[in-house]
Amino acid sequence: MTFKDHILQGIPTELPVKRAYPKDANRAPKRKDILSKEEKQLAIRNALRYFPKKWHKELALEFAQELQDFGRIYMYRFKPNYKIYARNIGDYPAKSKQAAAIMLMIQNNLDPAVAQHPEELITYGGNGAVFQNWAQYLLTMQYLATMTDEQTLHLYSGHPMGLFPSSKNAPRVVVTNGMVIPNYSQPDDWEKFNALGVSQYGQMTAGSFMYIGPQGIVHGTTITVMNAFRKILQKDETPAGKIFLTAGLGGMSGAQPKAGNIAGCITVCAEVNPKAATKRHEQGWVDVLIDDMGDLVTRVKQAQENNEIVSIAYIGNVVDVWERFYEEDIFVHVGSDQTSLHIPWTGGYYPADISYEASNRLIRENPELFKEKVQTTLRRHAASINNHTAKGTYFFDYGNAFLLESSRAGADVMAENGIDFKYASYVQDILGPMCFDYGFGPFRWVCTSGKSEDLDKTDAIAAKVLQEIMEHSPEEIQLQMQDNITWIKNAKQNNMVVGSQARILYADAEGRTKIAKAFNDAIAKGDIGPVVLGRDHHDVSGTDSPFRETSNIYDGSKFTADMAIHNVIGDSFRGATWVSIHNGGGVGWGEVINGGFGLLLDGTPEAEARLKSMLFYDVNNGIARRSWARNEEALFAIKREMERTPNLKVTIPNLVEDNILNDLF
Ligand SMILES: NC(=O)c1ccc[n+]([C@@H]2O[C@H](COP(=O)([O-])OP(=O)(O)OC[C@H]3O[C@@H](n4cnc5c(N)ncnc54)[C@H](O)[C@@H]3O)[C@@H](O)[C@H]2O)c1
């Protein structure tokens, strides 16, 4: 059978042979054994819905074993034998080019070179799933291959509910992940629903097929680290020889040393898992690997003296580094943390004074004691950071729930008012006011031809467009424009392409729209093949996340999720090729609602109309909400947009003088 035949077949007509689990695969962690006996039966009953009766007996036994061994039913037997990667768009069997583009993006997200646990259909973040099981993948690909431009495929947490008649202007796919009734949004609810096979954690770009490998996170981290140093350095100072101290060399946190090198500082990044640290070192993402605290201190002092730009991985607990640097009087200019505190009890954050291996045993054998140790360590961690910040260190929360979990552990991280945290999040201080409120966010694209020449051409187009816009840009956004022009000019040499030919940069609505239009023109002329546009969910409008993307909303609305919901609905009828909305993402199940889109540019006038309408709304929805929350930069941006776009009429807040309120109550 050819690749196309396999796709068209969907669930195979013959039961595939059972295979051994591949030896070299990076296996997803064993999930919690959370279901009762009756619920386990329900999980098997649910899984067997995908298969004919004659296989039920055999598969029931096998799936029960998977549930016991892994805590989930992945249906390994049904993983196809063909190679999974982003092929040229023309290689997919399809009646709809838009559907073919989605197939390409799905395969990119499951490509073993891209995905973290490809056998378990997990793209990143330990639990960021594209599908819950292989049956869902097979059926979805079959639906996509057979659908027309007058149908829409509806995906419920990876499950393809089916094709419904729609229209050419409707999205081809609507994705929801992890949507639950709000009262059922505790972490254990996810464990249970996912084990039952009825819900999944799509993270942000995994379950929306828009993950493009580490490039996205390197770019975002670079922008953050660069702007963090700008906040504290004098205009004539550079970050060279100055320390950025942080933790985590995992899936996304591994970008920190690379970003630190691009930003030009000394990065010290602690990582308890020797395998993760060694992997990043071997990949060239971190320059120096040290496992002895004395050696670390010596090397760091030397780097300070020589004004070096260098990244150092320390194999050990980050708390020990903070404490030792304080004793040694090593001044840390910028501090942060990217351990996985969104999942603190299952290995996201490792306690001090106990080895990595012993911690892993404790998680399984005595989770209560593990939790206690995590909380004790968090209190120490925060106390040491407080000592450093008292000497002038600039510390920010990196959207990993560090302050939230520290506060829950009783650490000294609350501000005097007892409501806010002592430290700002990177969105409150950096990305919010400097980027999101002006509409700048992580715009990305994928060249569906799979050709690197196409990517080079799009890089050049984007650089030219941004340069032209910058010549007429107001002072307020010049820095962002310049940073992104520099980034795109150097993007190729950073060598960040893994999987599909993809690129990212931060742009506002004008930049995104003009770049997209220039791509569409180039496609129409035959200079490049079709291009898929998208973005990270971590953006201006797509995500309501009170401790991250919307942490700089101060009118009390940061715990609402209207913006994300409006965004996904608004994008869907303005021309998105697919839309997605998720519960959960970087900060955890129940803590965020995030959404995204994909849009295929095929060089047609219809694509031009779609990109203009959709990208405009996709950015300005968030600026409008941010301006209603009285954010100064967003007020500037939305007023500027209304002057250029007479059809845009946004409600502008009246600002109240403090003295009117002071004596009221
Ligand atoms: N704001 C953002 O833009 C942004 C970007 C990326 C990641 N994040 C957040 O950062 C966190 C990390 O993401 P990830 O994908 O890298 O997760 P990950 O689990 O792959 O990596 C985290 C790493 O931290 C290490 N670690 C845990 N406790 C430690 C300790 N006490 N000392 C030293 N190392 C320790 C772990 O061994 C692991 O390798 C997540 O919570 C994520 O949501 C935020």
Side-chain angles (χ1 to χ4, degrees):
M1 266 211 276
T2 65
F3 167 69
K4 287 186 180 177
D5 293 337
H6 274 288
I7 295 284
L8 287 166
Q9 176 183 234
I11 306 270
T13 42
E14 302 269 309
L15 184 62
V17 283
K18 201 175 163 199
R19 285 171 305 173
Y21 190 90
K23 273 205 191 92
D24 50 352
N26 180 357
R27 177 168 256 170
K30 184 178 173 192
R31 310 294 181 189
K32 239 182 187 173
D33 181 10
I34 199 166
L35 301 183
S36 66
K37 187 177 152 219
E38 290 71 26
E39 287 165 340
K40 282 180 181 163
Q41 285 175 342
L42 182 59
I44 306 292
R45 193 185 290 281
N46 286 346
L48 293 175
R49 280 187 281 196
Y50 290 103
F51 306 103
K53 257 192 160 70
K54 58 181 177 186
W55 299 347
H56 282 185
K57 209 164 170 200
E58 185 172 352
L59 290 180
L61 281 172
E62 189 171 316
F63 292 168
Q65 193 65 46
E66 284 191 24
L67 197 55
Q68 186 182 322
D69 293 347
F70 314 112
R72 297 290 184 272
I73 302 168
Y74 297 109
M75 309 180 181
Y76 290 117
R77 181 197 284 257
F78 292 91
K79 184 181 175 210
N81 284 323
Y82 55 76
K83 258 185 96 181
I84 297 185
Y85 67 100
R87 293 168 161 76
N88 178 299
I89 190 168
D91 292 349
Y92 292 93
K95 293 181 186 153
S96 156
K97 201 177 234 179
Q98 297 186 347
I102 300 170
M103 285 194 256
L104 180 158
M105 296 298 286
I106 288 175
Q107 290 212 319
N108 190 49
N109 277 241
L110 293 173
D111 178 347
V114 175
Q116 187 182 18
H117 307 300
E119 298 292 317
E120 288 83 15
L121 304 110
I122 303 283
T123 301
Y124 73 95
N127 51 8
V130 186
F131 297 100
Q132 298 179 66
N133 56 56
W134 286 102
Q136 295 180 343
Y137 165 83
L138 294 176
L139 273 178
T140 300
M141 293 299 274
Q142 185 188 36
Y143 277 128
L144 288 167
T146 52
M147 76 186 294
T148 71
D149 278 341
E150 296 194 340
Q151 288 173 302
T152 295
L153 174 64
H154 288 260
L155 289 174
Y156 287 31
S157 279
H159 170 69
M161 196 53 80
L163 292 173
F164 291 77
S166 60
S167 76
K168 285 197 172 69
N169 292 327
R172 294 284 68 79
V173 176
V174 172
V175 176
T176 57
N177 280 308
M179 284 292 132
V180 291
I181 303 303
N183 246 350
Y184 302 86
S185 212
Q186 295 299 314
D188 271 354
D189 292 320
W190 166 70
E191 295 276 1
K192 194 168 177 169
F193 302 147
N194 194 220
L196 285 173
V198 296
S199 191
Q200 75 175 3
Y201 197 89
Q203 276 279 6
M204 301 186 112
T205 50
S208 57
F209 329 135
M210 200 37 84
Y211 186 72
I212 55 164
Q215 181 181 178
I217 190 68
V218 169
H219 177 261
T221 313
T222 305
I223 294 275
T224 306
V225 175
M226 232 156 53
N227 284 314
F229 274 104
R230 275 186 190 134
K231 280 185 77 75
I232 52 161
L233 297 183
Q234 303 297 324
K235 273 225 150 58
D236 54 347
E237 277 183 302
T238 72
K242 303 183 177 67
I243 295 174
F244 166 44
L245 171 56
T246 184
L249 286 170
M252 293 189 282
S253 47
Q256 294 176 105
K258 181 123 188 153
N261 281 5
I262 302 174
C265 60
I266 302 169
T267 307
V268 178
C269 193
E271 168 56 64
V272 282
N273 179 352
K275 273 197 188 144
T278 312
K279 181 174 162 192
R280 289 304 182 196
H281 186 239
E282 282 168 4
Q283 286 172 335
W285 283 49
V286 60
D287 304 324
V288 183
L289 192 61
I290 294 179
D291 62 3
D292 177 86
M293 184 60 85
D295 293 348
L296 176 69
V297 169
T298 311
R299 183 65 185 88
V300 164
K301 286 186 174 168
Q302 179 196 6
Q304 280 184 309
E305 268 167 37
N306 299 338
N307 251 354
E308 277 180 69
I309 297 170
V310 64
S311 52
I312 304 168
Y314 168 68
I315 303 179
N317 202 295
V318 69
V319 179
D320 297 328
V321 182
W322 281 105
E323 290 177 348
R324 182 66 182 268
F325 278 19
Y326 188 72
E327 283 163 25
E328 297 282 341
D329 205 21
I330 294 176
F331 184 69
V332 175
H333 276 77
V334 174
S336 195
D337 191 86
Q338 266 199 26
T339 56
S340 276
L341 274 160
H342 68 283
I343 41 164
W345 321 129
T346 51
Y349 181 88
Y350 284 82
D353 295 336
I354 165 169
S355 73
Y356 178 66
E357 293 74 21
S359 288
N360 284 332
R361 277 198 301 278
L362 215 53
I363 293 172
R364 283 195 303 276
E365 291 160 14
N366 194 345
E368 275 313 306
L369 182 59
F370 181 77
K371 186 171 171 178
E372 215 178 286
K373 285 190 178 296
V374 163
Q375 294 200 319
T376 310
T377 307
L378 275 173
R379 289 192 291 271
R380 255 175 75 184
H381 195 160
S384 184
I385 288 169
N386 290 343
N387 286 337
H388 281 268
T389 56
K391 292 202 305 183
T393 297
Y394 169 58
F395 181 84
F396 65 93
D397 182 290
Y398 212 151
N400 62 338
F402 174 77
L403 291 174
L404 181 66
E405 283 307 330
S406 298
S407 69
R408 287 173 178 165
D412 177 14
V413 291
M414 299 312 289
E416 272 174 24
N417 66 12
I419 302 166
D420 300 318
F421 294 128
K422 221 180 233 197
Y423 304 109
S425 82
Y426 73 116
V427 172
Q428 284 177 294
D429 252 17
I430 302 169
L431 283 191
M434 294 182 180
C435 298
F436 294 165
D437 288 354
Y438 287 118
F440 280 82
F443 180 59
R444 58 181 59 170
W445 63 91
V446 169
C447 297
T448 66
S449 64
K451 291 182 190 161
S452 63
E453 307 91 85
D454 275 15
L455 189 59
D456 295 346
K457 286 180 195 165
T458 55
D459 283 349
I461 293 171
K464 185 164 171 272
V465 170
L466 289 184
Q467 195 73 52
E468 282 164 10
I469 298 176
M470 189 177 160
E471 279 158 26
H472 310 285
S473 291
E475 176 67 29
E476 284 82 350
I477 61 169
Q478 287 277 332
L479 212 53
Q480 296 311 328
M481 296 296 299
Q482 188 51 60
D483 284 350
N484 283 287
I485 291 168
T486 309
W487 161 267
I488 194 74
K489 285 187 173 161
N490 297 328
K492 190 180 166 80
Q493 78 207 40
N494 284 333
N495 235 348
M496 301 259 46
V497 172
V498 178
S500 63
Q501 294 294 321
R503 188 66 77 216
I504 180 156
L505 52 74
Y506 266 44
D508 60 3
E510 182 184 10
R512 300 185 204 202
T513 308
K514 287 187 171 164
I515 291 170
K517 170 161 176 353
F519 289 171
N520 202 47
D521 292 346
I523 298 162
K525 279 196 266 166
D527 291 348
I528 54 174
V531 169
V532 167
L533 299 182
R535 58 163 171 74
D536 193 358
H537 293 197
H538 175 264
D539 194 10
V540 183
S541 315
T543 294
D544 276 299
S545 180
F547 300 103
R548 225 165 79 167
E549 286 78 354
T550 41
S551 56
N552 70 326
I553 297 286
Y554 303 105
D555 68 350
S557 73
K558 71 176 178 178
F559 294 100
T560 65
D562 297 300
M563 178 179 75
I565 298 299
H566 276 273
N567 216 66
V568 72
I569 296 173
D571 283 359
S572 76
F573 65 79
R574 287 184 173 85
T577 308
W578 72 101
V579 287
S580 59
I581 187 88
H582 305 180
N583 169 19
V587 282
W589 180 258
E591 305 281 3
V592 52
I593 298 291
N594 63 89
F597 73 88
L599 196 159
L600 177 70
L601 299 179
D602 57 5
T604 58
E606 291 78 17
E608 182 176 327
R610 282 198 282 266
L611 77 87
K612 284 183 175 162
S613 170
M614 206 220 79
L615 293 177
F616 182 88
Y617 178 75
D618 187 63
V619 177
N620 281 297
N621 168 42
I623 303 181
R625 188 271 177 107
R626 288 164 187 276
S627 77
W628 183 240
R630 293 181 283 265
N631 290 9
E632 210 181 297
E633 295 80 6
L635 274 164
F636 166 86
I638 206 71
K639 285 179 185 164
R640 181 167 173 249
E641 195 56 75
M642 281 198 280
E643 279 166 23
R644 293 190 290 207
T645 314
N647 253 351
L648 177 71
K649 303 249 184 269
V650 169
T651 316
I652 299 294
N654 291 296
L655 306 181
V656 184
E657 298 293 334
D658 284 352
N659 59 12
I660 308 254
L661 306 173
N662 285 346
D663 299 326
L664 273 184
F665 305 103

